[in-house]
Amino acid sequence: MNDERGIMILTGAGISAESGLATFRGPGGLWEGHRVEDVCTPEALAADPALVHRFYDLRRDALNDVTPNAAHEALARLDAAWAGELLIVTQNVDDLHERAGAKRLLHMHGELRSALCASCDERAPWPDPLPPGTSCAACGAPAMRPDIVFFGEMPYQMEAIEAALSRCDLFVSIGTSGAVYPAAGFVQLARRYGAETLELNLEPSAGSDWFDDSRFGPASVLVPAWVDALLAA
């Protein structure tokens, strides 16, 4: 097994869809029945905090009804077995990678089971409903909000992500649309730094032409097969 190579893996909504979680945009451009502009922007939070908090409360509660699938489990197995550098960067705000056992993981768009203080930026684990006006344990301000990166906000840990892109020998994109930046540009950066690129997706993404190899089908089939082959090489 040539596990001296560095691997960076980007995962998107497609990897969690097979566990029963709704993908980012549904029919008609809606996100679980809501316009994205009504639930995922700073302006939406300011205009109707009750709606935004309720929306994320429902999404957080939905995590209780789903479990990791074979794709999550295969990536956790790779994480445990790969001796070289490896980083899983997920656009997803669910905790299915963690529950499968992945350790080398970054959430670039935040986490449902986390709350953020809009006043002091303190974070806290948050498994329960989060009403508007909840006070921060650190500073006391009634400013706790979902720890989610809204449109118009900077994704988390971009410096660490770009550093991983600059070092990796293989970049793999799993279950992503290739339409949401900055993640959609990761394949181009990886190629610029000299990495091999692989796409595993249900169907061609908006950036499929940038990949050296694209394989199409369910993540729960493609990802375990790829991991098995990689670990056996």
Side-chain angles (χ1 to χ4, degrees):
M1 180 173 65
N2 183 17
D3 59 1
E4 294 181 356
R5 292 184 298 159
I7 302 174
M8 179 174 156
I9 300 167
L10 173 69
T11 68
I15 197 169
S16 294
E18 292 182 69
S19 290
L21 290 177
T23 54
F24 183 70
R25 288 187 186 270
L30 300 179
W31 191 11
E32 298 181 16
H34 295 273
R35 294 190 315 143
V36 171
E37 295 81 2
D38 293 335
V39 291
C40 197
T41 65
E43 293 79 12
L45 181 62
D48 195 343
L51 171 64
V52 172
H53 279 250
R54 184 169 64 250
F55 175 78
Y56 289 102
D57 284 348
L58 291 171
R59 296 193 74 201
R60 190 180 306 111
D61 186 62
L63 295 181
N64 295 320
D65 299 325
V66 298
T67 57
N69 62 53
H72 297 104
E73 292 165 355
L75 291 183
R77 183 160 47 89
L78 177 64
D79 184 6
W82 196 254
E85 185 173 355
L86 182 141
L87 179 64
I88 301 168
V89 175
T90 186
Q91 297 171 273
N92 300 333
V93 294
D94 61 64
D95 60 353
L96 296 179
H97 281 302
E98 290 95 331
R99 285 157 61 185
K103 305 295 185 186
R104 292 181 277 182
L105 174 71
L106 296 180
H107 282 269
M108 65 179 293
H109 289 159
E111 303 179 58
L112 283 170
R113 285 180 166 159
S114 176
L116 171 69
C117 178
S119 179
C120 74
D121 291 332
E122 184 73 13
R123 288 184 171 82
W126 209 276
D128 302 315
L130 179 64
T134 297
S135 295
C136 173
C139 74
M144 297 302 284
R145 55 161 273 187
D147 188 9
I148 302 295
V149 175
F150 292 155
F151 281 94
E153 297 178 333
M154 179 63 69
Y156 297 151
Q157 304 195 63
M158 286 302 297
E159 289 186 6
I161 291 170
E162 182 158 358
L165 284 166
S166 73
R167 295 192 303 267
C168 73
D169 301 294
L170 173 63
F171 171 75
V172 185
S173 177
I174 301 171
T176 65
S177 67
V180 179
Y181 283 84
F186 289 174
V187 61
Q188 298 174 47
L189 281 174
R191 285 174 62 99
R192 191 176 305 154
Y193 287 123
E196 178 186 352
T197 56
L198 169 66
E199 175 182 39
L200 305 175
N201 209 13
L202 190 60
E203 57 190 14
S205 69
S208 282
D209 291 344
W210 288 100
F211 289 90
D212 298 314
D213 184 13
S214 294
R215 305 171 192 176
F216 304 118
S220 60
V221 174
L222 293 180
V223 178
W226 169 68
V227 169
D228 288 345
L230 190 65
L231 294 180

